[in-house]
Amino acid sequence: LDIGTYKGGSALALSFNKNNSVISIDIENHLELNINRTNIEFKLLNVLDHPNLIQKSKLILLDTAHDGTFEKELYLHLIESNWDGIIIADDIYLNKPMKKWWKSIENKYKYDITNWGHHSGTGLINLSDGTS
């Protein structure tokens, strides 16, 4: 699940492996190119209004408005719903709100993977119970 489609770059990266089925979600359409991959489905919606999409997903790539507010709201939803999967958060050091959100996460399975990710910070949070 790619939350924050914007121009579609993350969805394309996730779809590189043809075995992956990618749903890319945004609240506004910013796609400028016609991305025609059979394993990507683009949707315009607020993901928090569709918890079934979240529950079906084992990996969430989170790259949204970077104000820390939505990121916190989604993270709390995932915790409260006992979601089982991995979050990859982009731009965790982009600005003060994102730094504050990233610092606020108290999870022993939280990892800063910026060295292998994006220059403005990439975080990984493993909320998987390891049984699936």
Side-chain angles (χ1 to χ4, degrees):
L1 186 60
D2 172 34
I3 302 176
T5 303
Y6 193 50
K7 304 281 185 182
S10 296
L12 280 171
L14 292 170
S15 75
F16 182 76
N17 180 337
K18 300 295 184 208
N19 293 319
N20 291 342
S21 177
V22 180
I23 299 174
S24 186
I25 296 170
D26 211 323
I27 57 173
E28 296 178 0
N29 185 3
H30 295 279
L31 289 173
E32 295 174 355
L33 301 173
N34 184 13
I35 299 172
N36 190 11
R37 292 268 176 102
T38 58
N39 61 336
I40 303 176
E41 182 180 357
F42 293 101
K43 295 180 178 273
L44 291 176
L45 53 83
N46 181 337
V47 71
L48 291 173
D49 294 336
H50 299 272
N52 56 323
L53 285 175
I54 296 170
Q55 289 304 320
K56 292 189 321 185
S57 302
K58 293 296 180 188
L59 181 120
I60 292 176
L61 179 63
L62 180 58
D63 190 6
T64 59
H66 307 108
D67 63 6
T69 303
F70 178 79
E71 291 82 0
K72 179 179 180 179
E73 186 178 2
L74 177 66
Y75 181 73
L76 291 175
H77 170 81
L78 296 174
I79 295 296
E80 291 168 3
S81 67
N82 294 312
W83 179 72
D84 180 25
I86 294 173
I87 305 165
I88 299 173
D90 196 23
D91 301 314
I92 60 173
Y93 298 125
L94 180 67
N95 55 36
K96 285 183 182 180
M98 287 300 290
K99 290 175 188 175
K100 181 179 178 183
W101 170 71
W102 180 248
K103 186 176 180 183
S104 75
I105 295 171
E106 295 181 9
N107 183 303
K108 68 180 182 178
Y109 299 110
K110 171 180 114 171
Y111 306 96
D112 181 339
I113 59 169
T114 301
N115 288 340
W116 301 276
H118 197 269
H119 66 87
S120 60
T122 305
L124 185 146
I125 309 162
N126 185 352
L127 297 178
S128 177
D129 67 10
T131 61
S132 55

